[in-house]
Amino acid sequence: MKSKIGIFILFFIFSISCRNEQKPLADSKIKKSIADSIAKVRAVQPVNAVRPDTAIKSAFDDPAAVANNKYSHFDQILLKDLSYRFWKYDAGIDGAVSISPAQVQGKWLKFFDDGRFEQGVYNKLTAKGKFTVDNLGFIEFTPSEAKEKKSEYQAKFNNDMLILVGTPKFQNNTLQYRLSRILERPKIQ
């Protein structure tokens, strides 16, 4: 009986040692299989893929094409449209708070062709200075008074409506205004 128990213990120890020896072999096979799968996935690329080191040609690389492109002159078109008549503030948003029409009643903005702007409430002029507009529709206001801060907005323009969306450049990205074109300054009623 002792010999049966001894044989069983030897068989048990032998089987444990065989499992430990086979485990690294199994791990290496799994790692190799995973590496092969990754290599196959990396090798397959979509038909229209562009490698990062490939130079991408653009119409903007050709100065003649840029000169003929109407969108490269968007700043001039926008400047001409902005400077036509007055703009009346209709409403707005400051962060999560709505700016009601009553809060901006009588507030107006006037752009001039030469890059000047004026802003006011009814007959009172509250700010003036210079502005610049780029071909992406970003308008930067530089007030003539040193105590007033600069601001930048992205203009969304459609006929007689203008949306000014603040940008983070001068920390006024929480502001948004809707303006409409009017013939003359608002008058007190």
Side-chain angles (χ1 to χ4, degrees), residues 19-66:
R19 281 192 213 164
N20 288 340
E21 289 175 13
Q22 290 177 356
K23 189 169 186 172
L25 182 61
D27 284 346
S28 65
K29 285 182 180 179
I30 290 171
K31 286 179 184 176
K32 184 173 177 0
S33 173
I34 291 171
D36 291 343
S37 298
I38 290 172
K40 287 177 185 174
V41 169
R42 286 185 182 160
V44 176
Q45 290 192 6
V47 175
N48 60 351
V50 178
R51 295 187 185 269
D53 58 346
T54 304
I56 299 173
K57 298 276 185 197
S58 168
F60 294 107
D61 296 334
D62 180 14
V66 171

Side-chain angles (χ1 to χ4, degrees), residues 29 42 50 54 63 65 68 75 91 122 125 131-132 147 150 152 163 165-166 182 188-189:
K29 285 182 180 179
R42 286 185 182 160
V50 178
T54 304
N68 292 328
D75 53 341
Y122 293 116
L125 185 67
F131 76 96
T132 57
K147 64 182 179 182
K150 287 183 167 185
E152 182 184 65
I163 306 290
V165 180
I182 55 174
I188 299 174
Q189 297 159 345

